[in-house]
Each structure stands twice: as structure tokens, then as C-alpha cells.
Amino acid sequence: MSELGLGENERLFILTGAGISAESGLATFRGSGGLWNGYRVQEVATPEAWETDPELVWRFYSMRRRDAMAAEPNLAHRALATLEQKLGDRLYLCTQNVDDLHERGGSQRVHHMHGSLFQSRCVRCEKPFADRAFYENAAALPVCTTCGAAVRPHIVWFGEIPLKMDEIYSRLAASTHLLVVGTSGSVYPAAGFVQIANQGGLKTIYVGPEEPLNAEAFDTIFLGAATEVLPSFLL
Ligand code: APR
């Protein structure tokens, strides 16, 4: 924890983005040019897309399920799991990622603010449930076994409110350090956490191979791949 400079009673809030899973082979949003099969991701990951073409939306998330299942956690996911073992409750891990690589890398408590790839929910009952299936044609689209309404991915789409924002803001307020890893700083509210941290007097650190859009708001930037930089935080 030398690089982080975390004292005995200090508390760490970690925000991760697509960059932490890049070295596991999962394409980042920006790395793919924001495109999937000729569609802009912002056109597929929206309530409007769901209303007009649920089959297209499910094909997109089925592909992402396949990709995530084929991927393995990397040294950066594992380093954060080791940090959790060391810090226990003094660490809060919040990810924008919908993959399960933090969990498979050993993290016990992860908040997925943009939802989870391996959960779905009925649009009427709203209760998320575990789901690893692929729905890739109109005949296969899932419906709720209880009420018969459509089942959608348990994902926070553009224009929807991220999950448990109250918990996020209170954990941010209770922390002394904010570590942000592999996110371009372009999608709010996550991109604004660093400003909130600054107002609260937290020490703010960014890790990634290039500066994020909100780079000027950070106290310290470690330019480099997550797998190279994060393990050094454990020394
Ligand atoms: N280690 C760390 N960071 C990396 C690595 C790496 N090996 N490789 C790439 N990055 C960085 C890039 O420099 C970039 O800044 O990861 C960032 C990825 O940015 P985005 O693709 O914009 O991903 P993210 O910021 O997580 O996107 C936010 O947008 O698509 C929506 O809801 C989705 O959660 C997602 C949100």
C-alpha cells in the first residue's frame, strides 16, 4: 500500500471501469470506437432500443455474456481482491463494469453500479435473478415465469439511474482516498465522483494508460496498464 499511502484508519473508495478488464480481453467502450456490429453502443444500450427492438438488445447482451464467460480475471482484479483482504471494511469497490471478473478475481463485496451481465429482471416484477442464458432470436426472447411480462437484462442503460447511488455517496463521504482505475471519465455520474471527492478533501488517484477526460481533477495519475500499476500498490 506504499503507493497509495493509506494510513491505519484511512478508508479507500475504488471506482473501476472497462479498462480494468481490457487485459482480460474484453473490449472497452472507447477501444471499440463505441461500435458493435455497425451499431453505436449508445443506440443499443438504451430504454428506447429495448422498446423498439428487444431482439437486437438481447443479441448484444448475449454476445457480451459469451465474451465475459470466455474471459479470465487478470492481475489487476486480483490485486484489488488482495487489497480487500488487507483492508476489509475500509475498502469499498464500486465498478461500472457489468462483467463478473472482480468476483472471479476474489473480491467478496462488489457494487455493480451499472448492473450485472449475469442477471436479468422482469420488466413488471422488477426482481433481478441469476441468468447465464443466451437469447439470440425472436422466438427465444425470455418472459417472466410468474407474470408473463418481458424479461430484460439487469443493466443500467443510458438515461437510467445507476444502482444504490445513496450508498455510493455515503461511502464516498466516509472515505479518505479515491482510487479510479481504467475509466475514460466520460459517463456520469461516475465521472463526477472525483469532484465530489475533492470537495470532501479525499486524496484522489487515477490509474490507466492514458489520461481520462477529467484528469485535471486528480491529485495523482499513474500512467500505465492496470496489471502493471495495481500490484505495486500492494508492496
Ligand atoms: N488498464 C487500465 N486502463 C485501461 C487499460 C488498461 N490495461 N486499457 C484501456 N484503459 C482505459 C482507457 O484508457 C480508457 O480511459 O480504460 C478506459 C476505458 O474507457 P471506456 O471504454 O469509456 O469505459 P468506461 O469509462 O468504463 O465506460 C463507462 O460507459 O459504455 C458505458 O455503461 C458503460 O460502464 C460503461 C460506461
Side-chain angles (χ1 to χ4, degrees), residues 24 61 97 104 119 128 145 158 168 180 183 189 199-200 208-209 218:
S24 293
Y61 285 102
N97 299 343
R104 287 201 274 134
Q119 288 187 309
T145 50
F158 289 98
I168 289 175
V180 178
T183 173
Q199 284 158 16
F218 287 90

Side-chain angles (χ1 to χ4, degrees), residues 16-23 27-32 41-42 45 64 74 76 95-98 114 155-158 181-187 190 206-213 224-227:
T16 64
I20 198 166
S21 296
E23 292 167 89
T28 63
F29 177 66
R30 295 190 117 196
S32 62
V41 171
Q42 263 144 309
R64 294 190 60 186
N74 63 47
T95 185
Q96 295 169 90
N97 299 343
V98 295
H114 290 168
I155 300 281
V156 176
W157 288 325
F158 289 98
V181 184
T183 173
S184 56
S186 53
V187 174
Y206 180 81
V207 173
E210 58 192 348
E211 291 198 343
L213 290 180
T227 58

Side-chain angles (χ1 to χ4, degrees), residues 150-232:
V151 165
R152 60 167 274 179
H154 186 48
I155 300 281
V156 176
W157 288 325
F158 289 98
E160 296 183 321
I161 298 168
L163 307 175
K164 295 192 190 168
M165 288 306 296
D166 289 351
E167 176 181 301
I168 289 175
Y169 289 133
S170 70
R171 291 300 297 234
L172 203 47
S175 297
T176 55
H177 291 60
L178 170 69
L179 168 63
V180 178
V181 184
T183 173
S184 56
S186 53
V187 174
Y188 284 80
F193 290 179
V194 65
Q195 275 89 11
I196 295 171
N198 284 331
Q199 284 158 16
L202 280 70
K203 188 170 186 303
T204 55
I205 304 140
Y206 180 81
V207 173
E210 58 192 348
E211 291 198 343
L213 290 180
N214 51 5
E216 77 295 335
F218 287 90
D219 295 323
T220 313
I221 291 189
F222 292 91
L223 280 185
T227 58
E228 284 162 18
V229 178
L230 292 184
S232 75

